[in-house]
Amino acid sequence: QVQLVESGGGSVQAGGSLKLSCVASTYTYTFSTYCMAWFRQAPGKEREGVASINIWNADTYYADSMKGRFTISQDNAKKTVYLEMNSLKPEDTAMYYCAAGPPAACSLSSTSITSWGQGTQVTVSS
């Protein structure tokens, strides 16, 4: 397992942007073997996958509702992944979690995740 620490959440108005960060406490080589992902959970709803990135080859995957608005990226030297969120909507309001797992986790299946961060709250007002 790896320790994950998220930051960057906050409150914005609809149409605004936020950039979340997730730092992994692990060796650089170990980080390169991970799939890193973002999930979110709104009150009363199930946790859902947002986006993932294979650190080794930088392949990305997005949930359909996030395509075109969200961008996941990585900085291997900093062992950090980012989630840039644009054109935010009130329905994007949720706790956002950083996650790590083997390459299978890039399918955004939570069952493949081996490590979770504590989450960072994103609130979008209309």
Side-chain angles (χ1 to χ4, degrees):
Q1 290 191 349
V2 56
Q3 183 177 7
L4 304 171
V5 179
E6 304 99 329
S7 62
S11 297
V12 295
Q13 290 189 331
S17 300
L18 281 173
K19 187 173 184 178
L20 308 183
S21 300
C22 171
V23 179
S25 296
T26 187
Y27 294 106
T28 300
Y29 177 77
T30 304
F31 180 71
S32 72
T33 67
Y34 282 130
C35 175
M36 300 294 294
W38 289 95
F39 287 76
R40 69 184 186 183
Q41 187 167 21
K45 295 188 177 181
E46 293 186 356
R47 189 173 296 189
E48 64 173 341
V50 175
S52 66
I53 186 165
N54 185 314
I55 299 299
W56 186 263
N57 59 21
D59 283 349
T60 58
Y61 181 81
Y62 296 90
D64 287 342
S65 61
M66 321 300 172
K67 289 179 181 178
R69 297 193 300 125
F70 291 7
T71 303
I72 190 170
S73 60
Q74 64 189 67
D75 184 329
N76 288 8
K78 295 182 178 180
K79 292 173 283 186
T80 300
V81 292
Y82 304 97
L83 183 69
E84 185 168 2
M85 306 183 293
N86 298 311
S87 302
L88 284 164
K89 306 174 183 179
E91 51 263 44
D92 294 318
T93 295
M95 185 70 79
Y96 283 71
Y97 297 91
C98 181
C106 278
S107 65
L108 293 179
S109 169
S110 60
T111 58
S112 298
I113 298 298
T114 56
S115 299
W116 293 94
Q118 293 300 306
T120 185
Q121 178 68 37
V122 172
T123 303
V124 184
S125 59
S126 57

